[in-house]
Amino acid sequence: MKNLTLLLVIFVFTNCQAQSNTVKKKEIKFDQAWIWEYTNTTVPEDEIGHKGEVWVYYNEKLQYWLFTAESYGITGEMFNWILAKPDGTYIVDYTDEFGKTGRLEMKAEFEKSKLLPEHYVANGKSNWYNQEDLGFPKFKGDGYSVTYEMVNDTSEFYLAPNEKINFAPIYLFNQLDSDAKLPIFFPVDLPGNWIYLEESTQMPQGEIQVKLTTITPTEYYINL
């Protein structure tokens, strides 16, 4: 009887081990990094969020965006990374205070419209972006002015239409029910087919300056 029990234990262990070995993780390579620089004078100079860079990684083939501590800083201290898919799914890879790893999933509804909202008023200005010769195209951004009459704020944006990349996962990131937040508050009303290239916002309490400075080749890997 003891031999039979031992054989059953060995069989169950071997079978479980075989099943676990069949679960293979898929390695995903992100070969682009999009970098925005920002200065926010409404935040004191000695505090996080006053000045810095936001890096977001991109996989062109899968159309996946990847957010890391280079994106959201210390606001997501337990998060290893957050992956965004083009269907609005965000996958969070985390390690808790006890060292246990896990994943959770969040969902966002991306706006279907590709039209720029009417309150973005063309002002006739233009500028060029990503002029470094790193293998990615330059973008001509057209200027748009926005006035927020209720709060006495004014903004000037430089935007460019684009049909190849969906930027909605970046623009809506801070809308997620998550501790991780980008220091740049991208316009949530901006359609995903428009590239946010530059912003200058004037407020009674200070100003915000943001600019897409670089798109660079890179190699960043995760296992999904």
Side-chain angles (χ1 to χ4, degrees), residues 49-109:
H50 173 76
K51 187 176 183 178
E53 293 181 341
V54 169
W55 289 52
V56 189
Y57 296 97
Y58 187 62
N59 179 300
E60 185 175 15
K61 182 178 180 180
L62 297 173
Q63 299 181 41
Y64 287 176
W65 289 100
L66 185 73
F67 304 84
T68 68
E70 296 168 288
S71 313
Y72 47 76
I74 63 172
T75 61
E77 59 181 350
M78 292 188 181
F79 298 160
N80 302 315
W81 47 258
I82 300 175
L83 180 142
K85 297 183 178 182
D87 66 352
T89 300
Y90 292 79
I91 298 175
V92 181
D93 185 271
Y94 67 88
T95 303
D96 67 17
E97 63 269 34
F98 305 107
K100 181 181 178 181
T101 60
R103 288 183 181 171
L104 57 87
E105 187 174 299
M106 294 179 285
K107 193 78 173 180
E109 292 294 330

